[in-house]
Amino acid sequence: MSRIKIFDTTLRDGEQSPGCSMNLKEKIEVARCLERLRVDVIEAGFAISSPGDFESVSTIARTVKDCTVASLARATVKDIDCAWEAVKMAADPRIHLFIATSPLHMEYKLRMTPEQVLERTAAMTAHAKKYCANIEFSAEDATRSDIDFLCRVVEVAIRNGATVVNLPDTVGYTTPDEMRSLISTVIARVPGSDRVEFSVHCHNDLGMAVANSLAGVMGGAQQIECTINGLGERAGNTSLEEAVMAMRTRPDIYGEDTTRIDTTQIARASRTVYSIIGQSAPLNKPIVGRNAFLHESGIHQHGVLANKRTYEILTPEAVGIRVSNLVLGKHSGRHAFADHLQAMGYELTEEELNRVFEEFKALCDKKKDISDRDIEAIITHSTTAAEQEEGGYQLDWFAVQTTNFTTATSTVSLKKGEEKFQAVSLGDGPIDAAFQAIDSIVAPVPHTFEVFRIDSTSEGKDTMGDVRIKLQAEGRTFSGHGLSTDIFEASIVAYLQALNRLNAWVERQKSAQ
Ligand code: KIV
Ligand code: ZN
């Protein structure tokens, strides 16, 4: 089997789904993870959809060196021009244009006849080709399209310069047999198919996205479109980690080294994406769920002790989950700590290492054994803490009073430069009360909570509270992160960080006017 390219659309199809929006810094962090994973193509966004998307696509295009960077575009001149403007500085830019080809979509969404869709495909593929050698054409809702018409559209796209042809299962409707046959039929019937790469893009509405993608590969597709953790519209897209590990685990079917993915980066990429969107993997999620490598039943444990392969078809190490008995604690020196971080795959600058080590030492005073998950949380937290908005509000001190028979009260003292501000408030619980006290000091613009999540970083009652907050205001998302053995403190810090970002953005808008 020829090499299969991995096209990641976490930053486009993944990010456009509810609850998964990311800000520019977060998108760049994800792009870095994707580069470390060695995906072939990063779909960085849909450049025309908003100024924020345009900015993130163009920033990623300039940042990423070792992957193709694509922007999505509808088959219109305006979209294509904008997509090109955004990706043109990339080392290897791609324009990804799409138009729907199913009767339903053509009639009710596009309000175009099949002949008009054919003409538009020809004209817009040719238009994109004037800018860029690397053109991907997608026939949206391909799996519900008439096969004869689909073949005509694909032929026109190839004749006008498409180099990759993608046949999406936009609504997650198809089955593996159908997908395999769709790809092989189009390849067999369309003249010029041998000059382009075919691609699959599957949604998971019936839980078959990974199976359908792999079936597409068996039908002749050379590219799989997928997302980290299977994020995406509705039930999501093909999950990168599942598709890649299926091919890696079954070389007898898919061949040796079919993708160029560095699978040891999978766990880290998955955790980064989950933590950015304020979620965590379902316990039984294949490859990255916490139970994916646990053997609880006696029979299984017995088998695994005798020979791991009895119940384990892939190892945690293969996806970058370190199985280490080494726990760090208050007697671990800076050297041992730095070595440990390196073994975990982190390369920090001297300054970053100093910051993280300081937080680690502070944590050692509160918690005896520090696990890798604690350390990861500290690294993420110290990076976000270092990105505090200049001149924002900081926590000075807080006090909460809560019982199960009175209304909770919180008092909060904030610092801004040399000034101090105090407020007290009642609330539906101490966190609500603390947030109301903060609101009365900060007076933020109206916002809603898109995410408010408190996770524990490890087992045990001395775990840290890892708090993620995402606020929605003015059509944007502002995130905050707090980490402490005290969940009230972690929540207050996370909320303040998100509010400081919101305030700074409002100020920048005012001064730009
Ligand atoms: O699901 C889909 O059809 C898409 C296309 C725009 C590629 O995301
Ligand atoms: Zn899609």
Side-chain angles (χ1 to χ4, degrees), residues 15-30:
E15 203 263 347
Q16 78 189 33
S17 60
C20 295
S21 50
M22 303 178 200
N23 62 33
L24 178 62
K25 278 200 183 101
E26 292 166 340
K27 288 182 184 172
I28 292 170
E29 201 183 334
V30 172

PDB file of all heavy atoms in Angstrom, residues 15-30:
ATOM      1  N   GLU A  15     -12.623  22.905  15.180  1.00  0.00           N
ATOM      2  CA  GLU A  15     -12.787  24.148  15.924  1.00  0.00           C
ATOM      3  C   GLU A  15     -14.141  24.788  15.678  1.00  0.00           C
ATOM      4  O   GLU A  15     -14.655  25.524  16.526  1.00  0.00           O
ATOM      5  CB  GLU A  15     -11.655  25.101  15.506  1.00  0.00           C
ATOM      6  CG  GLU A  15     -11.338  26.180  16.509  1.00  0.00           C
ATOM      7  CD  GLU A  15     -12.019  27.492  16.192  1.00  0.00           C
ATOM      8  OE1 GLU A  15     -12.544  27.657  15.076  1.00  0.00           O
ATOM      9  OE2 GLU A  15     -12.038  28.371  17.068  1.00  0.00           O
ATOM     10  N   GLN A  16     -14.768  24.496  14.521  1.00  0.00           N
ATOM     11  CA  GLN A  16     -16.045  25.165  14.231  1.00  0.00           C
ATOM     12  C   GLN A  16     -17.225  24.498  14.955  1.00  0.00           C
ATOM     13  O   GLN A  16     -18.330  24.996  14.907  1.00  0.00           O
ATOM     14  CB  GLN A  16     -16.283  25.256  12.712  1.00  0.00           C
ATOM     15  CG  GLN A  16     -16.771  23.983  12.040  1.00  0.00           C
ATOM     16  CD  GLN A  16     -16.760  24.087  10.505  1.00  0.00           C
ATOM     17  OE1 GLN A  16     -15.928  24.747   9.900  1.00  0.00           O
ATOM     18  NE2 GLN A  16     -17.702  23.411   9.879  1.00  0.00           N
ATOM     19  N   SER A  17     -16.963  23.399  15.678  1.00  0.00           N
ATOM     20  CA  SER A  17     -18.082  22.767  16.373  1.00  0.00           C
ATOM     21  C   SER A  17     -18.284  23.420  17.750  1.00  0.00           C
ATOM     22  O   SER A  17     -17.342  23.942  18.343  1.00  0.00           O
ATOM     23  CB  SER A  17     -17.856  21.262  16.484  1.00  0.00           C
ATOM     24  OG  SER A  17     -16.684  21.018  17.191  1.00  0.00           O
ATOM     25  N   PRO A  18     -19.532  23.393  18.245  1.00  0.00           N
ATOM     26  CA  PRO A  18     -19.849  24.109  19.481  1.00  0.00           C
ATOM     27  C   PRO A  18     -18.977  23.673  20.663  1.00  0.00           C
ATOM     28  O   PRO A  18     -18.709  22.486  20.839  1.00  0.00           O
ATOM     29  CB  PRO A  18     -21.322  23.731  19.743  1.00  0.00           C
ATOM     30  CG  PRO A  18     -21.830  23.207  18.454  1.00  0.00           C
ATOM     31  CD  PRO A  18     -20.673  22.670  17.685  1.00  0.00           C
ATOM     32  N   GLY A  19     -18.523  24.660  21.429  1.00  0.00           N
ATOM     33  CA  GLY A  19     -17.727  24.370  22.621  1.00  0.00           C
ATOM     34  C   GLY A  19     -16.269  24.096  22.332  1.00  0.00           C
ATOM     35  O   GLY A  19     -15.500  23.780  23.230  1.00  0.00           O
ATOM     36  N   CYS A  20     -15.862  24.197  21.061  1.00  0.00           N
ATOM     37  CA  CYS A  20     -14.465  23.867  20.732  1.00  0.00           C
ATOM     38  C   CYS A  20     -13.690  25.064  20.201  1.00  0.00           C
ATOM     39  O   CYS A  20     -12.610  24.898  19.622  1.00  0.00           O
ATOM     40  CB  CYS A  20     -14.427  22.750  19.681  1.00  0.00           C
ATOM     41  SG  CYS A  20     -15.104  21.217  20.311  1.00  0.00           S
ATOM     42  N   SER A  21     -14.246  26.276  20.355  1.00  0.00           N
ATOM     43  CA  SER A  21     -13.532  27.417  19.758  1.00  0.00           C
ATOM     44  C   SER A  21     -12.234  27.687  20.510  1.00  0.00           C
ATOM     45  O   SER A  21     -12.110  27.423  21.710  1.00  0.00           O
ATOM     46  CB  SER A  21     -14.425  28.645  19.735  1.00  0.00           C
ATOM     47  OG  SER A  21     -14.968  28.822  21.000  1.00  0.00           O
ATOM     48  N   MET A  22     -11.262  28.187  19.768  1.00  0.00           N
ATOM     49  CA  MET A  22      -9.924  28.429  20.342  1.00  0.00           C
ATOM     50  C   MET A  22      -9.491  29.840  19.965  1.00  0.00           C
ATOM     51  O   MET A  22      -9.860  30.335  18.892  1.00  0.00           O
ATOM     52  CB  MET A  22      -8.896  27.462  19.742  1.00  0.00           C
ATOM     53  CG  MET A  22      -9.245  26.009  19.919  1.00  0.00           C
ATOM     54  SD  MET A  22      -8.022  24.943  19.122  1.00  0.00           S
ATOM     55  CE  MET A  22      -8.973  23.438  18.959  1.00  0.00           C
ATOM     56  N   ASN A  23      -8.670  30.445  20.818  1.00  0.00           N
ATOM     57  CA  ASN A  23      -8.119  31.742  20.433  1.00  0.00           C
ATOM     58  C   ASN A  23      -6.815  31.528  19.666  1.00  0.00           C
ATOM     59  O   ASN A  23      -6.359  30.389  19.508  1.00  0.00           O
ATOM     60  CB  ASN A  23      -7.957  32.659  21.656  1.00  0.00           C
ATOM     61  CG  ASN A  23      -6.995  32.082  22.673  1.00  0.00           C
ATOM     62  OD1 ASN A  23      -6.027  31.406  22.317  1.00  0.00           O
ATOM     63  ND2 ASN A  23      -7.263  32.318  23.944  1.00  0.00           N
ATOM     64  N   LEU A  24      -6.225  32.645  19.206  1.00  0.00           N
ATOM     65  CA  LEU A  24      -5.056  32.534  18.323  1.00  0.00           C
ATOM     66  C   LEU A  24      -3.912  31.747  18.972  1.00  0.00           C
ATOM     67  O   LEU A  24      -3.337  30.839  18.365  1.00  0.00           O
ATOM     68  CB  LEU A  24      -4.594  33.935  17.909  1.00  0.00           C
ATOM     69  CG  LEU A  24      -3.350  34.000  17.026  1.00  0.00           C
ATOM     70  CD1 LEU A  24      -3.584  33.293  15.704  1.00  0.00           C
ATOM     71  CD2 LEU A  24      -2.952  35.454  16.761  1.00  0.00           C
ATOM     72  N   LYS A  25      -3.615  32.087  20.230  1.00  0.00           N
ATOM     73  CA  LYS A  25      -2.492  31.401  20.914  1.00  0.00           C
ATOM     74  C   LYS A  25      -2.760  29.901  21.006  1.00  0.00           C
ATOM     75  O   LYS A  25      -1.871  29.079  20.820  1.00  0.00           O
ATOM     76  CB  LYS A  25      -2.331  31.944  22.327  1.00  0.00           C
ATOM     77  CG  LYS A  25      -1.559  33.209  22.358  1.00  0.00           C
ATOM     78  CD  LYS A  25      -1.005  33.460  23.746  1.00  0.00           C
ATOM     79  CE  LYS A  25      -0.291  34.789  23.771  1.00  0.00           C
ATOM     80  NZ  LYS A  25      -1.080  35.875  24.370  1.00  0.00           N
ATOM     81  N   GLU A  26      -4.005  29.568  21.317  1.00  0.00           N
ATOM     82  CA  GLU A  26      -4.343  28.145  21.450  1.00  0.00           C
ATOM     83  C   GLU A  26      -4.213  27.433  20.102  1.00  0.00           C
ATOM     84  O   GLU A  26      -3.730  26.302  20.018  1.00  0.00           O
ATOM     85  CB  GLU A  26      -5.756  28.004  22.013  1.00  0.00           C
ATOM     86  CG  GLU A  26      -5.843  28.467  23.460  1.00  0.00           C
ATOM     87  CD  GLU A  26      -7.270  28.678  23.974  1.00  0.00           C
ATOM     88  OE1 GLU A  26      -8.202  28.838  23.159  1.00  0.00           O
ATOM     89  OE2 GLU A  26      -7.446  28.734  25.193  1.00  0.00           O
ATOM     90  N   LYS A  27      -4.641  28.130  19.035  1.00  0.00           N
ATOM     91  CA  LYS A  27      -4.533  27.502  17.714  1.00  0.00           C
ATOM     92  C   LYS A  27      -3.064  27.269  17.348  1.00  0.00           C
ATOM     93  O   LYS A  27      -2.717  26.239  16.769  1.00  0.00           O
ATOM     94  CB  LYS A  27      -5.210  28.376  16.660  1.00  0.00           C
ATOM     95  CG  LYS A  27      -6.723  28.352  16.774  1.00  0.00           C
ATOM     96  CD  LYS A  27      -7.336  29.188  15.677  1.00  0.00           C
ATOM     97  CE  LYS A  27      -8.843  29.256  15.841  1.00  0.00           C
ATOM     98  NZ  LYS A  27      -9.472  30.202  14.921  1.00  0.00           N
ATOM     99  N   ILE A  28      -2.235  28.229  17.704  1.00  0.00           N
ATOM    100  CA  ILE A  28      -0.806  28.054  17.388  1.00  0.00           C
ATOM    101  C   ILE A  28      -0.230  26.886  18.193  1.00  0.00           C
ATOM    102  O   ILE A  28       0.566  26.092  17.684  1.00  0.00           O
ATOM    103  CB  ILE A  28      -0.030  29.361  17.627  1.00  0.00           C
ATOM    104  CG1 ILE A  28      -0.495  30.390  16.590  1.00  0.00           C
ATOM    105  CG2 ILE A  28       1.480  29.160  17.527  1.00  0.00           C
ATOM    106  CD1 ILE A  28      -0.023  31.777  16.829  1.00  0.00           C
ATOM    107  N   GLU A  29      -0.668  26.771  19.437  1.00  0.00           N
ATOM    108  CA  GLU A  29      -0.208  25.649  20.262  1.00  0.00           C
ATOM    109  C   GLU A  29      -0.620  24.323  19.617  1.00  0.00           C
ATOM    110  O   GLU A  29       0.172  23.368  19.558  1.00  0.00           O
ATOM    111  CB  GLU A  29      -0.820  25.787  21.652  1.00  0.00           C
ATOM    112  CG  GLU A  29      -0.072  25.022  22.729  1.00  0.00           C
ATOM    113  CD  GLU A  29      -0.761  25.141  24.084  1.00  0.00           C
ATOM    114  OE1 GLU A  29      -1.480  26.136  24.324  1.00  0.00           O
ATOM    115  OE2 GLU A  29      -0.580  24.206  24.889  1.00  0.00           O
ATOM    116  N   VAL A  30      -1.857  24.267  19.109  1.00  0.00           N
ATOM    117  CA  VAL A  30      -2.317  23.033  18.460  1.00  0.00           C
ATOM    118  C   VAL A  30      -1.509  22.790  17.178  1.00  0.00           C
ATOM    119  O   VAL A  30      -1.074  21.653  16.914  1.00  0.00           O
ATOM    120  CB  VAL A  30      -3.841  23.096  18.150  1.00  0.00           C
ATOM    121  CG1 VAL A  30      -4.282  21.910  17.309  1.00  0.00           C
ATOM    122  CG2 VAL A  30      -4.638  23.140  19.450  1.00  0.00           C
TER     123      VAL A  30
END
